């Protein structure tokens, strides 16, 4: 007995294995190294401005003054909290650590997005994000660009995953 034609089942992500997984590891290693090299050197003026704002907030009495800092700083609040946690006399590379980690994680998420279609597309996506000059540059600054890109890519990946099977009550 034949069943009526229906839409094809949603694609299930291919599990990484073999040479594609090794290639992805190589791309991630190169992407990380590029971001570390990009993060070398002294702080930029806007990074110093953030440190000055943190130092000013530490001198102000009360917790509400810290909240005001986030509306007057020139970067993302998460980045400001990270820089405050590092302390005032850390090397420039330490202040850029959050961006380096988030920039490298973005390469992995881009690979996961492409891998849903095929390992080749995952590797192409990882290579494009990993070697993109603007993305390497942004991940080498103590700014909020790299965490923002990671959040956007993760949200896209989660939304795409959910849209393939939007069961009522199903959490992402």
């Amino acid at each position: 007995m034949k069943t009526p034609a229906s839409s094809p089942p949603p694609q299930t992500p291919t599990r990484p294995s073999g040479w594609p997984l090794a290639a992805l590891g190589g791309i991630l290693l190169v992407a990380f190294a590029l971001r570390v090299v990009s993060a070398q050197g002294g702080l930029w003026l806007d990074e110093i401005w953030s440190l000055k704002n943190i130092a000013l907030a530490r001198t102000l009495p009360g917790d509400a003054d810290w909240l005001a800092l986030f509306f007057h700083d020139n970067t993302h609040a998460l980045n400001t909290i990270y820089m405050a946690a590092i302390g005032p006399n850390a090397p420039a590379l330490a202040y850029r650590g959050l961006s380096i980690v988030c920039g490298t994680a973005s390469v992995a998420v881009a690979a996961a997005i492409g891998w849903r279609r095929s390992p080749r597309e995952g590797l192409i996506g990882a290579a494009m994000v990993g070697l993109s000059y603007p993305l390497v540059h942004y991940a080498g600054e103590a700014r909020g660009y790299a965490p923002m890109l990671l959040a956007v890519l993760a949200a896209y990946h989660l939304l795409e995953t959910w849209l393939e099977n939007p069961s009522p009550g199903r959490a992402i």
Side-chain angles (χ1 to χ4, degrees):
M1 177 175 177
K2 280 188 158 182
T3 59
S6 62
S7 63
Q11 288 182 335
T12 56
T14 308
R15 301 216 29 105
S17 64
W19 74 265
L21 189 57
L24 178 59
I27 291 169
L28 287 170
L29 189 61
V30 169
F32 177 75
L34 286 173
R35 282 150 179 79
V36 170
V37 169
S38 175
Q40 300 297 319
L43 293 175
W44 291 68
L45 183 59
D46 55 348
E47 294 168 328
I48 295 169
W49 182 12
S50 293
L51 289 174
K52 293 291 183 186
N53 285 341
I54 292 167
L56 175 65
R58 286 188 171 133
T59 64
L60 299 173
D63 294 333
D65 297 321
W66 272 94
L67 183 61
L69 167 69
F70 297 124
F71 296 108
H72 289 82
D73 198 5
N74 62 338
T75 188
H76 192 273
L78 178 63
N79 193 62
T80 303
I81 291 169
Y82 173 78
M83 291 176 79
I86 294 295
N89 298 319
L93 190 61
Y95 291 123
R96 295 172 176 153
L98 177 66
S99 293
I100 293 168
V101 169
C102 288
T104 306
S106 294
V107 177
V109 174
I113 290 169
W115 213 288
R116 297 177 61 72
R117 289 151 191 82
S118 74
R120 181 182 355 188
E121 288 187 38
L123 293 174
I124 290 170
M128 289 177 65
V129 172
L131 301 175
S132 166
Y133 174 77
L135 300 182
V136 169
H137 179 74
Y138 291 151
E141 295 183 352
R143 316 292 338 123
Y145 305 125
M148 176 194 62
L149 176 66
L150 176 60
V152 167
L153 287 172
Y156 177 83
H157 182 55
L158 290 171
L159 178 63
E160 185 180 51
T161 302
W162 184 83
L163 286 174
E164 284 184 355
N165 185 12
S167 304
R170 178 177 170 246
I172 290 182

